[in-house]
Amino acid sequence: MKYSITLSSFSQIDEALEESLRRLVAQGYDAIEVLGVPRKSCIEKIKATLDTFDLAVSGISGMWGTTGKIEGSRLRTNLISTNPSFAKSGLEYAKHCLEMCRLVDGKQVNVCLTSDYQSISTYQLTHGFKLGSEKRHILESRIIPMLTELTRI
């Protein structure tokens, strides 16, 4: 059996990446899941560092529901946004994560369908506030076409 862990689990630890990786290898991990970092220079550094530890990348975990930057451009990562420019930004970020996964020889990308309403619990978002017919409309008109587009990359 192969074991993998997400690097975001260590994001709040005041420790060098190399030290965390050294410990994970000693504990028997074979691969890690990399956080969807929005800069190509970070991707290259992460790949080079992982290669020195002989660790594979199992995949990319996107920073869904956040705001950040990719190559200096402002970014929003909510894939189900009522604001068309935010939804477009989220889709571009998802494409970036797919490209990042390819560059680090990963096998999967974690996609989370976050919306504009981050103060609402995930349960309420997926199970409340919208009628079943409204949810079906959003699913059929926005989510399925977006996910279909991502599978063709």
Side-chain angles (χ1 to χ4, degrees):
M1 182 180 307
K2 298 225 179 229
Y3 292 92
S4 177
I5 191 167
T6 181
L7 276 182
S8 64
S9 300
F10 302 92
S11 64
Q12 301 302 315
I13 296 174
D14 188 23
E15 175 178 88
L17 173 63
E18 292 80 3
E19 184 59 31
S20 294
L21 295 176
R22 194 173 292 108
R23 218 169 352 96
L24 292 170
V25 168
Q27 292 171 354
Y29 285 91
D30 304 294
I32 56 141
E33 183 179 77
V34 177
L35 195 57
V37 179
R39 290 189 317 274
K40 190 168 184 173
S41 60
C42 288
I43 297 167
E44 292 163 354
K45 181 181 178 189
I46 289 168
K47 179 68 174 144
T49 302
L50 294 175
D51 286 346
T52 64
F53 287 91
D54 198 30
L55 278 168
V57 174
S58 59
I60 303 298
S61 180
M63 301 181 297
W64 307 109
T66 63
T67 301
K69 291 189 175 192
I70 289 183
E71 304 295 330
S73 299
R74 190 159 173 80
L75 166 77
R76 297 210 180 248
T77 62
N78 294 334
L79 290 170
I80 310 173
S81 178
T82 55
N83 181 318
S85 68
F86 292 177
K88 181 179 178 184
S89 177
L91 181 59
E92 290 305 311
Y93 175 70
K95 290 176 182 178
H96 166 79
C97 286
L98 290 168
E99 176 63 11
M100 182 180 178
C101 194
R102 185 188 67 74
L103 290 171
V104 296
D105 300 322
K107 305 294 182 231
Q108 59 193 21
V109 175
N110 171 345
V111 176
C112 185
L113 300 174
T114 57
S115 75
D116 298 323
Y117 308 104
Q118 294 306 303
S119 62
I120 300 172
S121 76
T122 302
Y123 179 83
Q124 290 171 318
L125 218 65
T126 57
H127 297 88
F129 295 112
K130 298 282 185 188
L131 298 173
S133 60
E134 291 176 286
K135 289 180 185 180
R136 179 165 297 287
H137 174 71
I138 292 168
L139 179 71
E140 291 173 351
S141 66
R142 293 176 45 213
I143 296 171
I144 291 175
M146 179 214 25
L147 293 174
T148 301
E149 181 178 342
L150 289 174
T151 61
R152 294 186 175 139
I153 293 175

